[in-house]
Amino acid sequence: MDPSTVIQSIAQDAILRFLKKMGTNSFPNHQENVSLTTRIEAVTEDWFFKDHIRPHITTGKVMAETAYSHLKDPNVQAAVAVYTALMTALDDPEIFRTSGARDFARMLCDGSARSDPGLLGELTRALSEVGRHFSAFNTSCIIAATVQGLGGETLWNSSSPPILGPQLNDFLQYQRRMTGASGAYAAFIWSGVDCSADMSYVRVLP
Protein backbone atom coordinates (compact mmCIF):
# COMPACT_ATOMS: atom_id res chain seq x y z
CA MET A 1 0.00 0.00 0.00
CA ASP A 2 1.17 3.52 -0.79
CA PRO A 3 2.68 5.12 2.38
CA SER A 4 0.66 8.30 1.84
CA THR A 5 -2.54 6.22 1.80
CA VAL A 6 -1.57 4.58 5.08
CA ILE A 7 -0.86 7.97 6.68
CA GLN A 8 -4.18 9.33 5.41
CA SER A 9 -6.05 6.36 6.83
CA ILE A 10 -4.35 6.68 10.23
CA ALA A 11 -5.05 10.42 10.34
CA GLN A 12 -8.71 9.96 9.42
CA ASP A 13 -9.15 7.28 12.06
CA ALA A 14 -7.50 9.46 14.73
CA ILE A 15 -9.72 12.44 13.87
CA LEU A 16 -12.89 10.34 13.90
CA ARG A 17 -12.02 8.80 17.26
CA PHE A 18 -11.31 12.25 18.69
CA LEU A 19 -14.61 13.68 17.43
CA LYS A 20 -16.57 10.72 18.78
CA LYS A 21 -14.82 11.12 22.14
CA MET A 22 -15.96 14.75 22.14
CA GLY A 23 -19.56 13.61 21.61
CA THR A 24 -19.83 14.25 17.87
CA ASN A 25 -21.55 11.25 16.33
CA SER A 26 -22.94 12.64 13.08
CA PHE A 27 -20.90 14.09 10.26
CA PRO A 28 -22.04 16.08 7.22
CA ASN A 29 -21.78 14.37 3.85
CA HIS A 30 -19.36 16.48 1.85
CA GLN A 31 -20.33 17.05 -1.77
CA GLU A 32 -17.83 18.45 -4.24
CA ASN A 33 -18.79 21.83 -5.69
CA VAL A 34 -18.13 21.30 -9.40
CA SER A 35 -18.63 24.98 -10.23
CA LEU A 36 -16.03 25.97 -7.63
CA THR A 37 -13.58 23.38 -8.95
CA THR A 38 -13.98 24.80 -12.46
CA ARG A 39 -13.31 28.34 -11.26
CA ILE A 40 -10.20 27.29 -9.33
CA GLU A 41 -8.86 25.38 -12.34
CA ALA A 42 -9.39 28.44 -14.53
CA VAL A 43 -7.25 30.55 -12.16
CA THR A 44 -4.49 28.00 -11.62
CA GLU A 45 -4.19 26.45 -15.10
CA ASP A 46 -1.28 28.72 -16.10
CA TRP A 47 0.68 28.39 -12.86
CA PHE A 48 3.96 26.71 -13.80
CA PHE A 49 4.26 25.56 -10.16
CA LYS A 50 0.71 24.16 -10.04
CA ASP A 51 1.69 20.49 -9.84
CA HIS A 52 4.21 21.23 -7.10
CA ILE A 53 1.55 22.74 -4.81
CA ARG A 54 -1.43 20.61 -5.92
CA PRO A 55 -2.09 19.32 -2.36
CA HIS A 56 -2.37 22.94 -1.20
CA ILE A 57 -4.81 23.74 -4.02
CA THR A 58 -6.92 20.84 -2.74
CA THR A 59 -6.70 22.28 0.78
CA GLY A 60 -7.93 25.64 -0.49
CA LYS A 61 -10.84 24.06 -2.33
CA VAL A 62 -11.94 22.03 0.68
CA MET A 63 -11.65 25.09 2.93
CA ALA A 64 -13.88 27.14 0.61
CA GLU A 65 -16.39 24.30 0.16
CA THR A 66 -16.79 23.66 3.88
CA ALA A 67 -16.02 26.73 5.99
CA TYR A 68 -17.21 29.30 3.43
CA SER A 69 -20.05 27.49 1.66
CA HIS A 70 -22.43 30.19 2.95
CA LEU A 71 -20.92 32.88 0.71
CA LYS A 72 -23.45 33.86 -1.94
CA ASP A 73 -21.01 34.67 -4.75
CA PRO A 74 -19.14 31.59 -6.07
CA ASN A 75 -16.34 33.87 -7.28
CA VAL A 76 -15.71 34.87 -3.66
CA GLN A 77 -15.44 31.22 -2.67
CA ALA A 78 -12.91 30.72 -5.47
CA ALA A 79 -10.91 33.73 -4.26
CA VAL A 80 -10.78 32.26 -0.74
CA ALA A 81 -9.70 28.89 -2.15
CA VAL A 82 -6.88 30.37 -4.23
CA TYR A 83 -5.66 32.54 -1.35
CA THR A 84 -5.65 29.52 0.97
CA ALA A 85 -3.75 27.41 -1.56
CA LEU A 86 -1.00 30.01 -1.84
CA MET A 87 -0.73 30.73 1.89
CA THR A 88 -0.63 27.07 2.90
CA ALA A 89 2.02 26.46 0.23
CA LEU A 90 4.12 29.24 1.76
CA ASP A 91 3.89 27.46 5.10
CA ASP A 92 6.29 24.91 3.61
CA PRO A 93 9.81 26.06 4.62
CA GLU A 94 11.36 25.07 1.30
CA ILE A 95 8.70 26.86 -0.76
CA PHE A 96 8.92 29.86 1.55
CA ARG A 97 12.69 30.05 1.06
CA THR A 98 12.83 29.48 -2.70
CA SER A 99 9.97 31.89 -3.43
CA GLY A 100 11.70 34.77 -1.64
CA ALA A 101 8.62 35.28 0.54
CA ARG A 102 10.62 36.91 3.32
CA ASP A 103 10.73 40.02 1.07
CA PHE A 104 7.02 40.00 0.19
CA ALA A 105 6.11 43.07 2.29
CA ARG A 106 8.87 45.12 0.65
CA MET A 107 7.90 43.85 -2.80
CA LEU A 108 4.24 44.69 -2.17
CA CYS A 109 5.19 48.26 -1.28
CA ASP A 110 7.53 48.91 -4.22
CA GLY A 111 5.26 47.17 -6.73
CA SER A 112 7.67 44.43 -7.75
CA ALA A 113 5.49 41.68 -6.26
CA ARG A 114 3.01 41.97 -9.13
CA SER A 115 5.72 41.26 -11.69
CA ASP A 116 7.04 38.22 -9.82
CA PRO A 117 6.61 35.25 -12.18
CA GLY A 118 5.99 32.75 -9.40
CA LEU A 119 4.00 32.24 -6.27
CA LEU A 120 4.41 35.77 -4.88
CA GLY A 121 3.04 37.31 -8.06
CA GLU A 122 0.01 35.05 -7.86
CA LEU A 123 -0.48 35.91 -4.18
CA THR A 124 -0.45 39.60 -5.12
CA ARG A 125 -3.09 38.99 -7.78
CA ALA A 126 -5.10 36.93 -5.30
CA LEU A 127 -5.11 39.86 -2.88
CA SER A 128 -6.24 42.18 -5.66
CA GLU A 129 -9.07 39.78 -6.47
CA VAL A 130 -10.07 39.64 -2.80
CA GLY A 131 -10.21 43.44 -2.79
CA ARG A 132 -12.88 43.31 -5.50
CA HIS A 133 -15.21 41.26 -3.32
CA PHE A 134 -14.73 42.56 0.22
CA SER A 135 -15.26 45.91 1.91
CA ALA A 136 -12.38 48.34 2.43
CA PHE A 137 -12.16 47.35 6.08
CA ASN A 138 -12.14 43.60 5.42
CA THR A 139 -9.64 43.98 2.58
CA SER A 140 -7.33 45.90 4.93
CA CYS A 141 -7.64 43.10 7.50
CA ILE A 142 -6.85 40.45 4.89
CA ILE A 143 -3.77 42.24 3.56
CA ALA A 144 -2.51 43.05 7.06
CA ALA A 145 -2.97 39.43 8.19
CA THR A 146 -1.15 38.19 5.09
CA VAL A 147 1.88 40.40 5.64
CA GLN A 148 1.94 39.57 9.35
CA GLY A 149 1.59 35.87 8.63
CA LEU A 150 4.57 35.89 6.29
CA GLY A 151 6.46 37.92 8.90
CA GLY A 152 5.86 35.11 11.36
CA GLU A 153 7.12 32.60 8.80
CA THR A 154 10.20 34.77 8.35
CA LEU A 155 10.94 34.49 12.06
CA TRP A 156 10.62 30.73 11.98
CA ASN A 157 12.63 30.35 8.76
CA SER A 158 15.41 32.69 9.86
CA SER A 159 19.00 31.69 9.11
CA SER A 160 19.72 32.27 12.80
CA PRO A 161 18.51 29.59 15.25
CA PRO A 162 15.39 30.43 17.27
CA ILE A 163 15.77 31.81 20.77
CA LEU A 164 16.67 29.12 23.28
CA GLY A 165 16.40 28.99 27.04
CA PRO A 166 13.70 30.53 29.25
CA GLN A 167 12.46 32.82 26.46
CA LEU A 168 11.78 29.99 24.00
CA ASN A 169 8.12 29.45 24.98
CA ASP A 170 7.34 33.19 24.78
CA PHE A 171 9.03 33.34 21.37
CA LEU A 172 7.03 30.37 20.08
CA GLN A 173 3.75 31.84 21.31
CA TYR A 174 4.56 35.17 19.64
CA GLN A 175 5.51 33.46 16.39
CA ARG A 176 2.36 31.32 16.38
CA ARG A 177 0.15 34.36 16.91
CA MET A 178 1.70 35.97 13.85
CA THR A 179 1.35 33.04 11.47
CA GLY A 180 -1.81 31.50 10.08
CA ALA A 181 -3.38 34.75 8.80
CA SER A 182 -6.31 34.26 11.18
CA GLY A 183 -7.45 37.86 10.65
CA ALA A 184 -7.90 37.13 6.95
CA TYR A 185 -10.10 34.11 7.61
CA ALA A 186 -12.25 36.11 10.03
CA ALA A 187 -12.68 38.77 7.35
CA PHE A 188 -13.61 36.15 4.74
CA ILE A 189 -16.78 35.26 6.65
CA TRP A 190 -18.77 38.05 5.00
CA SER A 191 -18.06 39.47 1.57
CA GLY A 192 -19.40 42.77 0.31
CA VAL A 193 -22.46 40.98 -1.08
CA ASP A 194 -23.17 39.25 2.23
CA CYS A 195 -22.49 42.21 4.53
CA SER A 196 -21.77 45.58 2.99
CA ALA A 197 -21.84 47.59 6.24
CA ASP A 198 -18.47 47.46 8.02
CA MET A 199 -19.90 48.59 11.33
CA SER A 200 -22.35 45.69 11.40
CA TYR A 201 -19.50 43.26 10.82
CA VAL A 202 -17.07 44.85 13.29
CA ARG A 203 -19.47 44.18 16.18
CA VAL A 204 -18.85 40.44 15.99
CA LEU A 205 -15.04 40.60 15.89
CA PRO A 206 -14.29 41.11 19.60
Side-chain angles (χ1 to χ4, degrees), residues 134 137-139 141-142 182-191 201 205:
F134 291 86
F137 173 76
N138 279 11
T139 300
C141 290
I142 294 162
S182 58
Y185 289 98
F188 285 149
I189 293 172
W190 285 299
S191 70
Y201 177 78
L205 291 180

Side-chain angles (χ1 to χ4, degrees), residues 87 90 96 99-114 116 119-121 123-124 127 142-154 178:
M87 288 298 285
L90 286 169
F96 183 88
S99 68
R102 64 181 297 114
D103 294 318
F104 181 70
R106 186 182 301 117
M107 294 169 66
L108 198 61
C109 289
D110 67 20
S112 61
R114 182 168 287 277
D116 181 90
L119 200 147
L120 299 185
L123 179 58
T124 304
L127 290 173
I142 294 162
I143 293 173
T146 302
V147 173
Q148 184 179 34
L150 295 181
E153 294 291 347
T154 299
M178 290 187 72

Side-chain angles (χ1 to χ4, degrees), residues 19-197:
L19 291 173
K20 287 179 180 178
K21 188 176 180 179
M22 298 300 293
T24 303
N25 296 309
S26 61
F27 307 96
N29 183 22
H30 175 254
Q31 297 291 329
E32 181 181 9
N33 185 329
V34 177
S35 175
L36 176 62
T37 300
T38 301
R39 283 175 167 82
I40 294 170
E41 288 176 350
V43 173
T44 62
E45 64 179 349
D46 293 328
W47 293 1
F48 69 85
F49 53 86
K50 177 177 66 175
D51 290 338
H52 186 53
I53 70 160
R54 188 171 295 281
H56 303 294
I57 295 174
T58 300
T59 298
K61 184 168 77 73
V62 172
M63 172 74 86
E65 284 178 335
T66 54
Y68 297 94
S69 60
H70 65 280
L71 294 172
K72 296 174 183 175
D73 187 343
N75 291 313
V76 180
Q77 279 187 282
V80 171
V82 170
Y83 174 88
T84 301
L86 295 168
M87 288 298 285
T88 55
L90 286 169
D91 194 45
D92 181 307
E94 181 62 19
I95 294 176
F96 183 88
R97 183 185 63 80
T98 57
S99 68
R102 64 181 297 114
D103 294 318
F104 181 70
R106 186 182 301 117
M107 294 169 66
L108 198 61
C109 289
D110 67 20
S112 61
R114 182 168 287 277
S115 60
D116 181 90
L119 200 147
L120 299 185
E122 296 303 336
L123 179 58
T124 304
R125 282 181 277 282
L127 290 173
S128 295
E129 178 67 11
V130 162
R132 294 179 55 243
H133 299 294
F134 291 86
S135 68
F137 173 76
N138 279 11
T139 300
S140 297
C141 290
I142 294 162
I143 293 173
T146 302
V147 173
Q148 184 179 34
L150 295 181
E153 294 291 347
T154 299
L155 283 178
W156 192 247
N157 290 281
S158 172
S159 57
S160 302
I163 300 169
L164 301 177
Q167 295 83 26
L168 176 59
N169 186 60
D170 290 340
F171 169 79
L172 291 175
Q173 292 300 323
Y174 175 70
Q175 189 267 340
R176 286 170 184 160
R177 283 196 301 270
M178 290 187 72
T179 56
S182 58
Y185 289 98
F188 285 149
I189 293 172
W190 285 299
S191 70
V193 171
D194 299 285
C195 183
S196 58

